[in-house]
Amino acid sequence: MDKREFILIVDEDTSERQELKEYLSEAYRVGEYANGKEAFDYLSQNPLHVDMIIVGSHLENLDGFELIHLLKESKPLNTIPVIMLADGEETQRKAIESGVVDVITKPFTQPVVLCRVKNALRANNVPAFMNVMEDLVKEQIDKNINTFGICQCAVCRSDLAALTLNHLSPKYVSTEKGRLISATEKMSYDNILEIVKAIAECAEIIKQNPRHEKNLYE
């Protein structure tokens, strides 16, 4: 199985797509689309298969900036680094404002393309160790807070989350993509029950020993 990183090129200019594909194919797996909507549909169905997107500003059906906006609004697509191809100063400015990780100006050369792609991938893959159980506990607290009979102030919520996490086994991942994969795994009914049970038990402790001043919240 080819484990090289996968780069999706989205650009209406056929010659530019082929040129980029030729530059990148030796080091990376490469896919291509000329149509912005088709590219977004593909990404929506394969959100964790693409490691980087190189996008032109002019596309069929959905232009480059509209595509970037949709990516930023969609999880987990908003974690994929995007480089924009720019043919002028105004396009460069708009690209930077849209939140892309880098800009490649036209005409481009192979050394510049490879360097920018390599740097952007490296920056996106810096390890960031996270305990995804934090997200899961906070989610269940938000869903069930009204059933615990405790104060719902920020202090009590924070204390409840911290105490609950101390009663549950942590689940660490090393990258943002890893966090998303782990957090979106289907959890069994027993897993959810375990988390909610731990929250309920800790809620009783927080209820008996609140850190806030009662006269401010009751």
Side-chain angles (χ1 to χ4, degrees):
M1 181 178 178
D2 193 342
K3 295 184 178 180
R4 293 179 301 166
E5 290 159 307
F6 181 71
I7 298 174
L8 187 66
I9 302 169
V10 189
D11 188 10
E12 70 172 3
D13 189 312
T14 302
S15 62
E16 285 185 355
R17 291 201 315 275
Q18 293 306 309
E19 187 175 4
L20 286 168
K21 189 173 183 178
E22 183 179 336
Y23 289 170
L24 296 166
S25 290
E26 185 173 339
Y28 306 99
R29 292 179 295 124
V30 181
E32 58 178 294
Y33 279 97
N35 186 299
K37 184 179 183 305
E38 290 179 0
F40 183 73
D41 289 343
Y42 170 81
L43 288 161
S44 297
Q45 295 170 18
N46 303 275
L48 301 175
H49 295 172
V50 179
D51 297 290
M52 170 172 286
I53 303 166
I54 298 178
V55 61
S57 57
H58 305 292
L59 302 173
E60 298 175 17
N61 292 341
L62 193 71
D63 73 30
F65 293 106
E66 292 171 329
L67 176 58
I68 291 170
H69 176 73
L70 288 176
L71 294 173
K72 295 298 181 184
E73 295 295 315
S74 306
K75 291 184 178 181
L77 298 179
N78 58 3
T79 66
I80 303 174
V82 179
I83 293 178
M84 175 162 265
L85 302 174
D87 51 10
E89 186 175 331
E90 179 62 16
T91 305
Q92 293 180 53
R93 181 189 64 78
K94 289 178 64 177
I96 293 170
E97 289 178 349
S98 71
V100 299
V101 297
D102 205 347
V103 176
I104 295 176
T105 56
K106 305 176 186 180
F108 44 76
T109 62
Q110 184 172 18
V112 170
V113 170
L114 290 175
C115 182
R116 291 187 181 279
V117 166
K118 181 179 179 180
N119 288 343
L121 286 170
R122 180 186 299 155
N124 193 60
N125 289 325
V126 173
F129 295 99
M130 302 176 184
N131 177 13
V132 295
M133 190 62 76
E134 294 180 13
D135 292 340
L136 300 174
V137 166
K138 289 176 183 177
E139 179 183 351
Q140 292 304 318
I141 287 176
D142 289 340
K143 285 183 178 180
N144 299 283
I145 189 69
N146 291 328
T147 68
F148 297 138
I150 68 169
C151 169
Q152 298 185 26
C153 73
V155 174
C156 288
R157 280 175 176 265
S158 178
D159 285 351
L160 178 57
L163 189 60
T164 302
L165 286 166
N166 285 330
H167 284 74
L168 293 169
S169 299
K171 187 174 184 180
Y172 288 104
V173 294
S174 61
T175 66
E176 177 63 13
K177 180 177 285 190
R179 184 183 75 84
L180 288 164
I181 293 172
S182 181
T184 55
E185 287 175 349
K186 183 178 180 181
M187 296 191 69
S188 72
Y189 183 68
D190 289 341
N191 294 142
I192 298 297
L193 282 181
E194 179 187 2
I195 293 174
V196 174
K197 180 182 178 182
I199 295 172
E201 291 173 352
C202 292
E204 289 300 315
I205 298 173
I206 298 298
K207 184 161 53 176
Q208 298 299 321
N209 302 278
R211 286 197 304 121
H212 66 249
E213 295 181 23
K214 289 189 176 182
N215 61 351
L216 293 179
Y217 300 94
E218 298 179 354

